[in-house]
Amino acid sequence: MNCKNTIGRLYDYSRNELSGNDKSTVENHLKECPSCAEELKKLALLSALFKSGLREPSPAVLAGIKKRLSAGRHPLFSVILRPALAMAAAVFLLAGVFLYPGLDRKAKLSNTLMNDYNITETALYDDNAEFDEVSYIYGNDYDNEVF
Amino acid sequence: MDLRFEKIYKENSKYVYNVALGMLRNRDEAEDIMQNVFIKLFEGYGSFRGDADIKTYLYRMTVNKTIDYMRSQNLHSNKLELIEQPGPQKTDSSVSLLDALLDRLNPELKAPILLAEIGGFSYKEISEIMNINLGTVKSRINRGIAKLREYADKEALL
């Protein structure tokens, strides 16, 4: 390998980016060529410049990131509004359970009618049914169907 | 802030910042871009598969945003302005020399060199970050380094 080819590969060599064969070829040339060996040293100085020139970002950058990330969880919401909303939802749910009449409506109607007419069970005889056929009817329109 | 985020920031911020700074040569703009990149990362943290994925994202976004910014500002890489250092921070000679050298490169040549030298990435990793093939990475890096060496020799800087 001549100097021109070697110089073109020195940076790759310095970064360990050369494959086994190419790497050996460059290494062998460097052993015999002080000029290319000197060039490798200058590339090392260049790399050192990059490392030594690193600067720190200002603390304000991190502060800005924290501020932005916490903006989605407003303290007013998490401390006051969220618990208030949860409590309101619970109250609404409980109110619905106790106030909604439909759940035990059938039982109430049945109990009311049974008490009023002193009957132990309700039954409606269908005129078109067989003599011993009994239809038991319960429902929202029970009042209209029993007579 | 989540402790995981603090750790990611602590491990990566200096290098991400210096890649942005190397590209833009302006502290305020570099910090702005860096801040936005980290915010986007943390807001979408759940979608990343691991540390390598996070690093690739950080540097890809940084390089892309800096190049976009430079295009929008129509900045030219041949300007010989040094980075302004407001406040008490000193500008030592090695930093000025690096700035002068980097100013010689256009963004396409500068980016892979910064990723290699500051980010410590391999050529393969750089090709993934920049979404260019490996041969292009090698070509750009070697062209960029040749330019830097040529300028350094001409000015007897190294």
Side-chain angles (χ1 to χ4, degrees):
Chain A
M1 181 176 281
N2 58 33
C3 290
K4 189 180 175 187
N5 288 340
T6 302
I7 285 173
R9 294 175 186 214
L10 278 181
Y11 188 76
D12 297 344
Y13 172 76
S14 72
R15 295 202 58 81
N16 209 25
E17 292 280 352
L18 289 183
S19 63
N21 218 21
D22 285 343
K23 186 178 174 183
S24 306
T25 308
V26 168
E27 278 172 348
N28 290 336
H29 180 85
L30 286 171
K31 285 175 190 170
E32 297 164 1
C33 181
S35 172
C36 288
E38 185 60 27
E39 179 61 25
L40 185 63
K41 284 181 187 172
K42 288 185 177 176
L43 285 177
L45 282 174
L46 188 60
S47 285
L49 266 183
F50 280 98
K51 307 286 187 296
S52 64
L54 294 182
R55 299 174 179 89
E56 293 284 348
S58 76
V61 175
L62 182 57
I65 293 168
K66 285 181 176 177
K67 187 179 175 186
R68 171 69 179 270
L69 291 178
S70 66
R73 297 186 301 276
H74 197 283
L76 179 65
F77 179 75
S78 58
V79 171
I80 296 170
L81 282 179
R82 188 185 285 169
L85 283 171
M87 194 175 293
V91 167
F92 182 76
L93 209 61
L94 283 170
V97 167
F98 286 112
L99 295 177
Y100 180 62
L103 288 173
D104 59 346
R105 184 182 167 91
K106 282 189 285 189
K108 279 188 180 174
L109 281 173
S110 300
N111 289 338
T112 303
L113 284 165
M114 284 161 73
N115 289 335
D116 287 350
Y117 295 100
N118 197 29
I119 50 178
T120 56
E121 63 183 8
T122 54
L124 179 68
Y125 290 96
D126 184 350
D127 290 341
N128 297 322
E130 293 293 325
F131 178 74
D132 60 348
E133 187 176 329
V134 173
S135 296
Y136 292 88
I137 297 179
Y138 299 95
N140 292 336
D141 58 353
Y142 188 81
D143 279 344
N144 294 328
E145 293 190 43
V146 174
F147 52 96
Chain B
M1 191 161 87
D2 194 315
L3 283 176
R4 291 170 299 176
F5 296 170
E6 298 238 21
K7 183 171 180 280
I8 291 168
Y9 185 83
K10 194 175 171 186
E11 286 172 359
N12 294 281
S13 58
K14 186 175 176 180
Y15 307 102
V16 169
Y17 173 62
N18 279 278
V19 166
L21 193 56
M23 294 291 287
L24 296 174
R25 315 266 283 98
N26 180 293
R27 285 186 71 105
D28 289 339
E29 293 303 333
E31 286 186 349
D32 226 19
I33 281 176
M34 188 185 104
Q35 186 173 84
N36 286 333
V37 167
F38 273 99
I39 286 169
K40 286 273 182 221
L41 167 69
F42 295 149
E43 284 180 343
Y45 183 72
S47 62
F48 291 97
R49 286 165 294 179
D51 288 348
D53 211 25
I54 288 169
K55 277 192 89 172
T56 302
Y57 175 87
L58 273 176
Y59 286 92
R60 178 183 291 155
M61 290 298 291
T62 300
V63 168
N64 287 347
K65 285 189 179 298
T66 54
I67 289 177
D68 287 346
Y69 176 79
M70 291 169 85
R71 283 178 183 154
S72 72
Q73 299 293 309
N74 202 26
L75 292 175
H76 299 290
S77 60
N78 288 330
K79 283 192 297 189
L80 291 178
E81 294 162 1
L82 296 176
I83 294 175
E84 310 240 345
Q85 302 287 345
Q89 189 171 356
K90 287 190 288 187
T91 304
D92 60 72
S93 59
S94 65
V95 172
S96 301
L97 170 57
L98 182 60
D99 295 339
L101 289 174
L102 285 175
D103 238 359
R104 291 282 156 183
L105 301 179
N106 65 38
E108 279 71 34
L109 297 186
K110 214 189 303 190
I113 292 174
L114 289 170
L115 288 172
E117 289 294 342
I118 293 174
F121 293 104
S122 67
Y123 289 1
K124 185 170 180 299
E125 288 167 330
I126 292 169
S127 81
E128 287 165 10
I129 290 168
M130 293 187 67
N131 204 27
I132 54 178
N133 66 46
L134 189 57
T136 306
V137 172
K138 285 185 185 179
S139 166
R140 287 186 187 180
I141 283 181
N142 280 291
R143 275 162 48 210
I145 291 294
K147 275 184 180 271
L148 293 181
R149 283 291 298 113
E150 186 188 327
Y151 179 67
D153 274 349
K154 189 176 160 187
E155 303 292 324
L157 296 173
L158 287 178

